[in-house]
Amino acid sequence: MSAGLVLLITMLPGSWSGTISAFTELMMAEAVGLVNTLDNWRVVDKIILSTKTPEKKKIFGKGNFQLLTEKIRQTAGITAVFMNVERLSPLSEREFEDAWGVKVFDRYSIVLHIFRCNARTKEAKLQISLAEMPLLRSRLKNEMANLDQQGGGSRYIGGSGETLYEVQQRLLKEREMKIRSALAKLQKKRHLLRSQRKHKEFPVISVLGYTNCGKTTLIKALTGDSGLQPRNQLFATLDVTVHAGQLPCRMTVLYVDTIGFLSQLPHQLIDSFSATLEDIKHSDLLVHVRDISHPETVNQKANVLNVLKNLQIPDQLLSSMIEVHNKTDLINNYECLEPGALPISALEERGLDKLTKVVEEEIIKSTGKQILDLKVNLSTNQLSWLYKEATVQEVQVNADEGSALVSVIISTAAYGRYKKLFGDVKQADGVHWRVQLHTHD
């Protein structure tokens, strides 16, 4: 796709009898945002029309089709038309391109191209190649239909016993199998990395939300990671990235920056990125970031929750999800009316103290970690072991006894190892004290 000037068409159902709704206007605005995300592309005109079912060859009635044709011919410089529907049938695409003499794109092809431009890792590029398969098959079908009209599509190739169409189909299938095989290997590697993180007991927090809601800006504010460069555009983040941060209790956690969601995101694209989205299911906590300044923020929330439901996220993980109202700096005197939601401005770093405290509470709860006060002998390696295997919050040294009272956050498994190495403990006056000591030099 080279640069171009685009006529944007958003369509209403054929049974529509009312005025153009605010939702339709917002869908148009989102479609304009998709086009503007592409370098050197811009919308020169836009129109909202009633339509029939997109799968049928004749999407428009005769009058609307003539209106569009005249508009395209009369508007100088138009090089493409964007039909704001999930997928056009091959027949419709071919009919429009023949009639108008310009390329015609649907939502699937536009979003796919944005993905292609933003992909950085090998995995993301492979997933895009997989998502391209339906388009390639549609184009092949179109090309073969043209050849059949000329009497060439059904001819056999040499002595293979295959027609040209069958050969092309087989090549596409072989390519798809290679892509899936390569993705499976990368998925094993991703699983190994997840296992390593789990072994090190770093809690994982997936930050998710509608595209361009400010996820990356929030993670940068929470971690101080200067390598993160948020961009104000749709699908700026395509590859899942992991960033370490610390909670107020000094516990190290891993924030996962996920791909943004979009209304009417073609389901085949979601399927292609299922391995990437799989990370969400293996999190200890989800943080749902909402752009509360967006006029369609309620529908965006519903869309995100619907995608999560389709991903079969465990109920326990969904029920503990923290909802964050971001971009409050864009609203004068914002007042949060939704119970449990946390208002913040990631850009101005406002409201983050409250957020990190709530995250800390949920992480301790979801991971089954314990907050303990342990009395340690400073002549042993107990303290260094705790620094390595747990989160040390505070150390109160008693020089006369050669001991220290250590406040720690520790997992059940690590606490079990601690007791095995250094002896059993009992609780007295709200504090855990040593009763048996084994020195390990």
Side-chain angles (χ1 to χ4, degrees):
M1 279 169 69
S2 56
L5 306 177
V6 182
L7 170 66
L8 175 57
I9 306 167
T10 288
M11 290 167 269
L12 295 171
S15 58
W16 187 267
S17 58
T19 56
I20 294 171
S21 67
F23 176 71
T24 307
E25 292 283 7
L26 287 162
M27 286 297 296
M28 174 68 87
E30 185 173 273
V32 171
L34 285 172
V35 174
N36 290 341
T37 298
L38 296 168
D39 289 340
N40 302 317
W41 279 77
R42 65 184 177 90
V43 176
V44 292
D45 205 350
K46 51 193 179 186
I47 188 169
I48 297 174
L49 292 173
S50 62
T51 178
K52 299 177 183 177
T53 307
E55 287 76 22
K56 293 182 179 178
K57 181 180 178 182
K58 299 289 185 183
I59 293 180
F60 300 108
K62 188 175 180 181
N64 278 341
F65 186 77
Q66 287 179 343
L67 173 68
L68 278 174
T69 303
E70 289 171 10
K71 194 175 189 68
I72 292 165
R73 288 172 179 168
Q74 291 169 6
T75 307
I78 287 180
T79 57
V81 172
F82 175 19
M83 308 278 283
N84 193 22
V85 293
E86 181 176 323
R87 286 293 303 273
L88 285 171
S89 70
L91 287 173
S92 293
E93 184 180 336
R94 183 174 150 203
E95 176 196 8
F96 295 143
E97 290 184 349
D98 288 347
W100 300 333
V102 295
K103 283 293 294 178
V104 176
F105 300 100
D106 54 23
R107 201 172 177 87
Y108 189 93
S109 53
I110 289 287
V111 172
L112 186 60
H113 187 64
I114 294 170
F115 279 16
R116 192 184 299 114
C117 292
N118 288 342
R120 297 290 179 269
T121 65
K122 181 180 179 181
E123 184 175 21
K125 290 173 183 177
L126 283 169
Q127 288 174 132
I128 289 164
S129 295
L130 184 61
E132 281 179 322
M133 285 296 157
L135 279 181
L136 294 175
R137 289 194 172 96
S138 293
R139 287 171 187 164
L140 175 62
K141 196 172 181 180
N142 263 341
E143 289 169 5
M144 290 303 107
N146 286 332
L147 278 174
D148 280 341
Q149 289 177 359
Q150 301 164 25
S154 302
R155 291 178 183 170
Y156 290 94
I157 306 298
S160 67
E162 290 181 300
T163 64
L164 177 59
Y165 181 51
E166 288 169 341
V167 169
Q168 297 283 12
Q169 276 190 316
R170 177 170 53 77
L171 291 174
L172 278 178
K173 188 173 182 179
E174 288 172 359
R175 182 181 173 187
E176 181 177 348
M177 288 173 66
K178 286 180 181 178
I179 292 170
R180 289 189 183 278
S181 175
L183 278 171
K185 290 178 183 176
L186 288 173
Q187 199 167 1
K188 284 182 181 178
K189 184 178 179 182
R190 183 184 289 278
H191 179 73
L192 179 62
L193 290 172
R194 275 200 300 264
S195 298
Q196 289 172 345
R197 290 200 295 261
K198 190 174 181 180
H199 177 69
K200 292 181 179 179
E201 297 179 344
F202 291 137
V204 176
I205 303 165
S206 282
V207 182
L208 52 90
Y210 208 81
T211 184
N212 207 28
C213 67
K215 299 183 300 295
T216 305
T217 304
L218 175 58
I219 292 175
K220 184 175 183 178
L222 291 172
T223 63
D225 190 338
S226 58
L228 282 169
Q229 297 299 327
R231 288 177 288 163
N232 184 26
Q233 67 179 59
L234 303 180
F235 299 114
T237 300
L238 187 58
D239 299 294
V240 170
T241 54
V242 181
H243 309 269
Q246 278 200 329
L247 296 178
C249 65
R250 293 193 284 276
M251 183 194 301
T252 298
V253 294
L254 301 177
Y255 292 99
V256 179
D257 195 1
T258 63
I259 182 174
F261 299 158
L262 184 73
S263 66
Q264 296 183 13
L265 186 64
H267 68 90
Q268 285 167 316
L269 282 178
I270 295 175
D271 291 344
S272 298
F273 281 80
S274 59
T276 299
L277 295 169
E278 189 81 6
D279 277 334
I280 296 174
K281 296 169 71 171
H282 297 278
S283 307
D284 295 296
L285 181 66
L286 304 181
V287 175
H288 175 196
V289 183
R290 289 174 59 188
D291 176 358
I292 208 64
S293 71
H294 196 285
E296 203 57 32
T297 183
V298 174
N299 281 326
Q300 289 182 351
K301 174 182 176 177
N303 179 265
V304 170
L305 294 179
N306 187 52
V307 173
L308 292 177
K309 182 181 177 182
N310 292 337
L311 288 172
Q312 298 181 325
I313 304 297
D315 290 340
Q316 187 177 353
L317 194 54
L318 279 177
S319 63
S320 66
M321 182 165 65
I322 297 171
E323 182 174 309
V324 172
H325 289 187
N326 191 26
K327 304 192 182 182
T328 56
D329 53 293
L330 301 178
I331 303 176
N332 291 328
N333 303 316
Y334 176 69
E335 184 179 352
C336 183
L337 301 177
E338 297 186 38
L342 301 175
I344 68 159
S345 168
L347 188 64
E348 297 182 356
E349 300 190 5
R350 285 194 280 111
L352 300 189
D353 288 345
K354 177 74 178 293
L355 172 60
T356 52
K357 284 177 183 175
V358 174
V359 167
E360 181 179 289
E361 290 170 5
E362 290 297 334
I363 280 294
I364 290 173
K365 193 188 304 179
S366 67
T367 58
K369 291 181 183 290
Q370 306 172 65
I371 302 176
L372 302 176
D373 292 320
L374 301 172
K375 189 175 182 181
V376 303
N377 188 330
L378 294 177
S379 66
T380 72
N381 65 343
Q382 284 176 273
L383 185 58
S384 61
W385 189 95
L386 287 171
Y387 269 110
K388 183 180 178 182
E389 300 292 337
T391 300
V392 175
Q393 293 183 287
E394 187 181 4
V395 179
Q396 298 176 26
V397 176
N398 187 327
D400 294 335
E401 289 187 5
S403 65
L405 186 63
V406 185
S407 179
V408 296
I409 299 175
I410 190 168
S411 70
T412 302
Y415 188 42
R417 293 196 300 272
Y418 176 83
K419 289 191 292 183
K420 187 175 180 180
L421 283 169
F422 303 110
D424 296 326
V425 294
K426 69 178 181 179
Q427 190 169 354
D429 300 324
V431 177
H432 291 264
W433 298 93
R434 293 270 308 129
V435 294
Q436 181 182 357
L437 178 65
H438 299 292
T439 302
H440 293 261
D441 296 323

